[in-house]
Amino acid sequence: QVPLVESGGGLVQPGGSLRLSCTASGIILRIDTMGWYRQAPGKEREFVALISRAGNTEYGNSVKGRFTISRDNAKNTVWLQMNSLRPEDTAVYYCNVLVPILASTKNYWGQGTQVTVSS
């Protein structure tokens, strides 16, 4: 029932690193774009990064130069390497994938994984 399974969140000190993982094991159809969003308490969900099936990437301004998104198409897995973490990076991080189905695109979300950056 849950198409995307996330892992890798946790507590880290400012300046530290975490690596998030998301596997779309419940999706059998070909996946197009994969990405990450985050939502901090009291704030709207924010775009973090995306990667096309061909490997083209985009990043939100607040994470450029610090985060790196990657994927393995054969494994239906996307990662988010987060370096130089800041307290303002604290949020629940959600994996997102887009799957073209006929004339439309299906949007799937992971369950979310908590990232806390604190000293």
Side-chain angles (χ1 to χ4, degrees), residues 27-66:
I27 302 178
I28 192 172
L29 296 175
R30 180 186 179 93
I31 296 175
D32 191 0
T33 301
M34 308 182 78
W36 293 91
Y37 291 73
R38 66 187 183 186
Q39 188 166 24
K43 295 186 177 181
E44 296 183 352
R45 188 167 295 186
E46 175 190 17
F47 168 74
V48 175
L50 66 80
I51 182 168
S52 72
R53 188 172 181 85
N56 301 313
T57 60
E58 293 183 17
Y59 296 93
N61 289 332
S62 63
V63 306
K64 288 181 179 178
R66 300 187 299 121

Side-chain angles (χ1 to χ4, degrees), residues 4 7 12 18 25 35 37 41 43 61 70 76 82-83 95 118:
L4 308 180
S7 64
V12 64
L18 285 174
S25 59
Y37 291 73
K43 295 186 177 181
N61 289 332
S70 60
N76 273 3
M82 305 183 295
N83 299 325
C95 177
S118 177

Side-chain angles (χ1 to χ4, degrees), residues 2 8 17 32 36 41 67 73 77 101 105 116:
V2 181
S17 298
D32 191 0
W36 293 91
F67 292 8
N73 294 334
T77 299
I101 302 178
T105 299
T116 302

